[in-house]
Amino acid sequence: MPSMRALRRLADSRTPPTPKPAAKEESPSPQPAAAAESPPQHSSSSSSPSSASPPAKPAPSPAYPLRDFPGKEAASLCGAFRDNVRWLLKQWAPVAASSPGPGPARRAFLSDHRTSAVVPIVAVEVLAASSPAPLCGLCRCAGWSHHWVSKRRYHFIIPADSDWEQHFGTDELLGRNDHLLHGLIHGNGFGHLVALRGHEGGSTSLSGRDIMDIWDRLCSALRVRAISLVDFSRKRSLDLRLLLGVVNGETWFARWGYYLARGSFNVSTSTYDAALEALASLHVDHLHSRHVRRVVTIYRRLSSKPLTTVREFLRCLLDWKHNELPLPPPAKPCPWLPLLLPKPCPMKRSGQPCKRFEDTVDLLHCRFSKKRLLNAADVVVAKLLEHGNDAEMTRQALRDAARGDIGDTGLLDFVIKSVGDTIVGNHVVRRLPNATTRILQFSLEECEGPVQMDVEAEHPCTEARWVGGSVDVERDLRAVYRAMVKALSEEAQAVLDCKHWVKCWGLGDESDDQLRFLAEWRPQPWEADDLTRPMPPGEIVVVPLHTSIGELVVEAEHALRDTYCFFEEFHADKLDGITGEKWDPVVLGGAESGDTIGVHGHGADMETGLRCEGGLDLWEVRCVCGAQDDDGERMIVCDACGIWQHTWCVGIPDGESLPPLFLCMLCGGALILEGGLLAQ
């Protein structure tokens, strides 16, 4: 029997709904406001060969306001992702690639009225059948290895600032790893945020929040189904998923609705929550660090709050860092407060003391902000540390090493030129010519204690020394962070092991006179015997309210054939979950919009290798930590039983190469026992 809700919706529909935007093939597609229309072309039959019209120029790339992308027309799309993305890319101009690529590429521009920047965004369509890597490793790590292989993938890329004026072939574009934004969405609406870089990653115009807003609006407008990401975000040497998790109870990506999907090494959601709570409620007096104890005393003196737990103290440091003066100066001078400050560590060369780089920056006149200069200096010091404390690096070697983390070469060259003989963190950067080659070389000298300029000489007033950055908040933040990790190392590691996050857009029942169903294939008994993984979620089918059951069968068949390689020759016969004849309206068949309907048919390609994203190999994960699926961590397979386990769990460090022969504990123990019995 039809439901009352279905009857009401059928009665309310007075006129047939307009077709979906993605299906408007006969009418011109709406263009963004700033997109220019191409001039009409005259027919060649009305002109003589000598006066043939010149070839048509490519349509200009549309330009969207940065905070309105992808436009109001895209925001009103109501179809499935496979139709919406095609409609959107038709509005963009094709890219004339310098070399043949894996698929067509299209481009649009985003204009920022605040900075007058024009940011290109490129979309590349890749066909799985012609791709050298048709299976998706990101799906395996996200727990989607059972998904059917989509025919098409769409890469959305915002290149690095230095590449905005260049025209790359699609092969070269997809092969680079310095993009500000790289998102991948499969034709079924499931995708991955591959890379995101803001100011810390070399962007001069877009912050990380701006880029994330662009990506989230794009996904929402195109009606994607789920986006996964692996959170490796860091702020210099601090893991943001741990720092912000302790301070705010959630990560940076939670602002856009992302939540924990799965933890590596079988860390559950409850374990993650308990670890965060233990770290946040840790008493700061239990942090075993002499420097941290002095820092705690100083900030408690300056603050009106008790600053008891690690969460309160880290939040105070972050507030101080992001604001010029969040804490009031002392009401009256404290005679013993200067004794708590770290002792000055003046470093001299040729009779002249070395200044801190952050103080030197204030005297420099350049177009770069102080924050970007300090961040770039930290990267330079980190590369010198990786090379070795006593080792020396030439300017070119140092530049090449830091180029991967600093996208702006002008910024990098300026910092390398200015950082010599200055104090960065706890190290002094030396720049001396080689005695033999006379080539300038950079090296590090480590101070005996925390580096702090003589604030008494520069700020004789006690109240004034807390203004202008004399307190090194970055150093204090790192010290408290490391002391917290050392105090509760197991809890901190549990939080760091939780880096797989996901955001899902549900299939809602909207009041737009459209019916939405999930069409899920129902295999025959002999086909089910050949399936080794769980059934993936069905494909979205959007039909008008007055659609008949027979028309829904055709739409479900088209959706499966158009989306997946596995259903290239599939023919649908009937549906489960809807009763009635083929000419009966769907709303009278007992199904509600948003339901899952089973699709029976024949023609699924059981022989293709493009069936599941995880491939056809029957790999099995059964680690001692309890993990039963691939979580992206390094693994090794037992040569006897074929079971995969984490290398870390079986005692193989991450930097150590894999042994040529490996036996798990069960197989190795059984072999030893068998050898002992034979010896007896």
Side-chain angles (χ1 to χ4, degrees):
M1 290 294 295
S3 64
M4 294 301 296
R5 181 182 174 198
L7 292 175
R8 282 196 303 268
R9 295 184 65 174
L10 182 62
D12 292 341
S13 59
R14 298 180 178 86
T15 58
T18 57
K20 296 177 293 185
K24 294 181 180 178
E25 299 292 342
E26 67 279 1
S27 60
S29 302
Q31 295 286 343
E37 296 182 357
S38 58
Q41 302 296 326
H42 297 283
S43 174
S44 59
S45 59
S46 60
S47 58
S48 61
S50 59
S51 61
S53 59
K57 296 182 180 180
S61 301
Y64 301 87
L66 181 67
R67 282 154 186 81
D68 189 44
F69 176 78
K72 296 180 180 179
E73 293 87 354
S76 62
L77 293 174
C78 61
F81 169 79
R82 62 181 180 276
D83 298 322
N84 297 339
V85 69
R86 288 169 176 167
W87 178 88
L88 180 67
L89 295 188
K90 283 182 181 179
Q91 321 308 313
W92 296 10
V95 176
S98 58
S99 62
R106 291 181 173 269
R107 180 178 60 184
F109 291 101
L110 313 178
S111 59
D112 189 357
H113 68 278
R114 299 180 308 174
T115 61
S116 300
V118 179
V119 182
I121 179 169
V122 183
V124 181
E125 179 183 347
V126 178
L127 300 179
S130 59
S131 174
L135 304 182
C136 181
L138 296 174
C139 282
R140 289 185 58 168
C141 299
W144 300 340
S145 58
H146 62 295
H147 285 197
W148 307 123
V149 177
S150 298
K151 287 184 176 180
R152 302 169 185 84
R153 302 177 189 171
Y154 299 91
H155 296 262
F156 292 91
I157 295 172
I158 296 180
D161 292 6
S162 58
D163 301 331
W164 287 359
E165 300 298 331
Q166 302 187 32
H167 298 280
F168 294 106
T170 50
D171 278 327
E172 185 179 0
L173 189 67
L174 296 179
R176 296 175 67 94
N177 59 359
D178 59 347
H179 302 309
L180 302 183
L181 171 67
H182 185 184
L184 163 64
I185 309 178
H186 298 278
N188 60 358
F190 290 85
H192 318 278
L193 180 56
V194 183
L196 185 146
R197 295 178 176 87
H199 293 317
E200 297 289 334
S203 173
T204 58
S205 302
L206 299 176
S207 65
R209 182 174 297 185
D210 292 335
I211 299 174
M212 194 64 194
D213 285 338
I214 293 171
W215 172 248
D216 192 65
R217 288 196 303 268
L218 177 65
C219 293
S220 299
L222 296 181
R223 291 179 177 263
V224 303
R225 301 178 63 182
I227 295 294
S228 73
L229 61 88
V230 183
D231 186 3
F232 284 115
S233 56
R234 294 175 63 86
K235 184 75 170 181
R236 301 185 183 177
S237 61
L238 308 182
D239 292 281
L240 285 184
R241 65 183 183 278
L242 176 57
L243 177 63
L244 297 183
V246 173
V247 174
N248 302 323
E250 58 184 19
T251 65
W252 187 74
F253 293 99
R255 304 173 186 175
W256 292 270
Y258 286 82
Y259 60 90
L260 179 62
R262 58 196 308 215
S264 301
F265 303 103
N266 200 35
V267 177
S268 62
T269 304
S270 58
T271 303
Y272 170 80
D273 294 336
L276 270 186
E277 183 59 29
L279 291 166
S281 59
L282 178 64
H283 203 290
V284 291
D285 292 335
H286 296 165
L287 300 179
H288 302 291
S289 170
R290 181 180 178 185
H291 175 66
V292 170
R293 287 196 296 269
R294 287 188 294 175
V295 168
V296 169
T297 305
I298 293 173
Y299 284 91
R300 280 178 175 171
R301 169 64 181 171
L302 296 174
S303 175
S304 58
K305 300 178 181 179
L307 303 181
T308 304
T309 63
V310 169
R311 169 171 289 176
E312 295 172 351
F313 196 75
L314 288 176
R315 187 172 294 171
C316 170
L317 291 176
L318 289 178
D319 288 342
W320 185 299
K321 179 177 179 296
H322 293 297
N323 300 286
E324 293 184 359
L325 192 60
L327 298 178
K332 55 183 179 179
C334 177
W336 47 267
L337 188 58
L339 302 177
L340 298 173
L341 291 172
K343 294 181 179 180
C345 182
M347 301 297 296
K348 295 185 178 181
R349 175 176 177 239
S350 302
Q352 297 296 329
C354 294
K355 292 186 177 181
R356 295 184 62 85
F357 182 71
E358 63 179 7
D359 297 331
T360 305
V361 167
D362 297 332
L363 305 177
L364 300 176
H365 299 285
C366 63
R367 60 185 178 90
F368 305 108
S369 64
K370 181 177 180 179
K371 180 180 179 181
R372 295 188 64 207
L373 291 171
L374 296 179
N375 293 343
D378 285 346
V379 172
V380 170
V381 171
K383 298 304 177 183
L384 289 171
L385 285 174
E386 292 176 3
H387 196 64
N389 270 358
D390 299 327
E392 297 178 342
M393 295 182 68
T394 63
R395 178 191 177 279
Q396 186 61 41
L398 181 59
R399 187 180 188 273
D400 294 340
R403 180 66 177 86
D405 296 330
I406 304 176
D408 192 337
T409 55
L411 170 65
L412 178 59
D413 293 335
F414 185 82
V415 170
I416 292 179
K417 179 183 70 174
S418 308
V419 78
D421 301 323
T422 62
I423 302 172
V424 180
N426 293 338
H427 296 84
V428 178
V429 182
R430 292 300 189 192
R431 183 178 61 178
L432 297 171
N434 185 279
T436 305
T437 62
R438 309 303 299 173
I439 297 177
L440 288 177
Q441 292 181 332
F442 290 82
S443 62
L444 291 180
E445 293 179 8
E446 188 170 0
C447 299
E448 298 179 356
V451 177
Q452 178 73 25
M453 289 302 295
D454 191 354
V455 295
E456 280 293 334
E458 297 182 355
H459 307 285
C461 179
T462 306
E463 289 82 353
R465 77 179 48 163
W466 304 107
V467 185
S470 297
V471 174
D472 194 339
V473 183
E474 286 282 353
R475 180 202 61 200
D476 299 338
L477 185 64
R478 288 194 297 267
V480 176
Y481 174 91
R482 292 167 183 166
M484 175 191 67
V485 172
K486 185 177 181 180
L488 295 177
S489 57
E490 293 185 1
E491 288 79 0
Q493 189 59 51
V495 175
L496 292 176
D497 287 337
C498 294
K499 47 183 174 285
H500 294 279
W501 299 79
V502 68
K503 179 179 180 179
C504 298
W505 285 259
L507 182 63
D509 184 15
E510 304 175 16
S511 57
D512 57 358
D513 290 335
Q514 300 285 330
L515 299 176
R516 294 172 174 83
F517 299 101
L518 287 175
E520 190 175 279
W521 176 56
R522 296 287 187 261
Q524 302 289 344
W526 59 87
E527 294 172 330
D529 294 339
D530 195 32
L531 300 176
T532 58
R533 291 186 173 89
M535 291 294 295
E539 181 57 26
I540 294 179
V541 178
V542 183
V543 294
L545 186 63
H546 53 76
T547 301
S548 66
I549 296 177
E551 292 172 337
L552 181 58
V553 173
V554 175
E555 288 294 329
E557 175 187 307
H558 171 73
L560 293 175
R561 296 183 63 170
D562 186 42
T563 307
Y564 302 110
C565 302
F566 183 55
F567 298 104
E568 181 73 34
E569 304 295 334
F570 179 72
H571 296 278
D573 297 330
K574 61 179 182 178
L575 303 177
D576 276 345
I578 299 179
T579 59
E581 301 297 334
K582 290 187 177 181
W583 52 83
D584 291 335
V586 172
V587 293
L588 300 179
E592 295 285 352
S593 181
D595 289 348
T596 298
I597 57 175
V599 183
H600 293 266
H602 60 279
D605 190 359
M606 304 299 296
E607 303 297 328
T608 181
L610 302 179
R611 182 193 302 176
C612 296
E613 294 289 1
L616 299 179
D617 298 335
L618 300 179
W619 46 269
E620 182 181 358
V621 177
R622 193 165 65 242
C623 187
V624 294
C625 67
Q628 297 182 355
D629 196 4
D630 188 2
D631 54 10
E633 304 296 336
R634 194 171 73 145
M635 290 188 173
I636 189 171
V637 62
C638 176
D639 292 297
C641 63
I643 301 298
W644 290 84
Q645 299 186 54
H646 294 119
T647 55
W648 180 264
C649 295
V650 297
I652 303 176
D654 291 337
E656 186 176 317
S657 59
L658 299 180
L661 178 65
F662 172 75
L663 297 177
C664 65
M665 295 180 62
L666 294 178
C667 296
L671 185 62
I672 294 175
L673 180 60
E674 183 180 353
L677 293 176
L678 292 176
Q680 293 178 359

